DNA sequence: ATAATTGCAAACACTTTGCACCGTT
DNA sequence: AACGGTGCAAAGTGTTTGCAATTAT
């Protein structure tokens, strides 16, 4: 999606292009992964402040537009990231807490099995696998 | 684990066997899956009331003892179930909200891939796959 | 008896909502 | 002027904590 494409899309739907919305999207892009709180903090440090409730409202809007998605990597707050870069499975290490990503094909077997056996269509992009990374495995 | 085995285990660790703890465990067993709130409600209907904060404290304890585990099936509250029956992957349908379970072997390919490629040991029992079930797929 | 456990209410963290004000169109 | 968007503060959730009273051992 080009720089202006989503501006058009917003206007087409009767929404407005505001600095806050651009800032939030920038922050999500810059962070890669971020909770609403983190996104809000990121915006503060870059420029003018954006209220936390605006961040929530904006993320909801951006998600509705299909520009961001969220998953639940930890047990408290959701994590948002760009939808365009969301085509991956999340890995969360219980030891060090590190979050990583792997290509979605890793889950092909699972997806295929669920599809064939149950007719269940899995949304791999929302998939998060908890476990222990190489470093934390032994410890 | 036999009926009395965990009583012993509790006592051995200096914990006490209280009616509340038994009721909460019963409720988890009866519900299969349940949020703290649901578990609390279940307990109310069966017998004397147990305070919600006691439910939280008890679930934490039971989890520490390895008798229950929890996963995050929806975006609001965690879902607890018996650890003994936890050896399965959860499926959550975004359409009807139905929660189902499939045998963990379904994820073998994914698990093996992560292990071989990254040395990441996945905890399949905590795995939840979001998607659409057969019935909701088309709708 | 004594130390763990409970219930209750207050405190918390995260999220949503109502509303007056502001900025675009 | 009309309407969407924002900030702020208040209201909602779900969860945790301090503490006095209760209860298992």
């Amino acid at each position: 999606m080009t720089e202006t494409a989503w501006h058009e899309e917003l206007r087409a739907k009767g929404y407005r292009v505001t600095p806050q919305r651009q800032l939030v999207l920038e922050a999500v892009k810059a962070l890669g992964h971020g909770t609403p709180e983190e996104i809000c903090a990121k915006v503060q440090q870059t420029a003018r402040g954006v209220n936390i409730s605006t961040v929530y409202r904006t993320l909801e809007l951006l998600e509705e537009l299909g520009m961001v998605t969220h998953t639940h990597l930890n047990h408290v707050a959701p994590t948002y990231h760009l939808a365009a870069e969301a085509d991956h499975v999340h890995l969360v290490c219980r030891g060090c807490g590190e979050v990583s990503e792997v290509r979605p094909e890793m889950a092909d077997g699972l997806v295929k099995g669920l599809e064939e056996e149950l007719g269940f269509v899995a949304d791999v992009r929302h998939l998060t696998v908890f476990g222990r990374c190489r470093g934390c495995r032994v410890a």
Side-chain angles (χ1 to χ4, degrees), chain A:
Chain A
M1 189 173 295
T2 68
E3 176 53 30
T4 48
W6 70 283
H7 292 187
E8 311 271 287
E9 197 183 335
L10 273 178
R11 293 208 186 85
K13 297 194 176 181
Y15 297 121
R16 290 177 187 169
V17 178
T18 66
Q20 285 90 336
R21 285 173 181 170
Q22 302 185 62
L23 286 167
V24 168
L25 188 55
E26 284 304 312
V28 173
K29 204 176 292 184
L31 287 171
H33 291 104
T35 62
E37 212 75 46
E38 289 165 347
I39 292 165
C40 191
K42 181 72 182 175
V43 172
Q44 313 289 354
Q45 88 186 218
T46 314
R48 63 184 283 193
V50 171
N51 192 277
I52 184 72
S53 57
T54 299
V55 172
Y56 278 102
R57 286 188 279 228
T58 302
L59 288 171
E60 190 185 344
L61 176 65
L62 293 177
E63 188 154 34
E64 183 193 321
L65 293 176
M67 307 208 50
V68 304
T69 11
H70 76 270
T71 38
H72 294 262
L73 301 183
N74 60 69
H75 302 176
V76 281
T79 305
Y80 286 80
H81 48 268
L82 291 185
E85 296 169 8
D87 197 27
H88 53 245
V89 171
H90 286 104
L91 257 42
V92 178
C93 175
R94 286 243 180 64
C96 57
E98 178 141 313
V99 175
S100 47
E101 305 168 0
V102 296
R103 60 212 148 70
E105 295 80 49
M106 291 293 268
D108 275 358
L110 175 62
V111 172
K112 202 165 293 177
L114 293 175
E115 164 81 59
E116 285 170 3
E117 196 166 314
L118 306 163
F120 186 94
V121 182
D123 173 10
V124 181
R125 309 189 330 178
H126 201 103
L127 193 62
T128 300
V129 183
F130 293 85
R132 301 196 138 249
C133 72
R134 197 193 301 278
C136 297
R137 193 165 38 158
V138 275

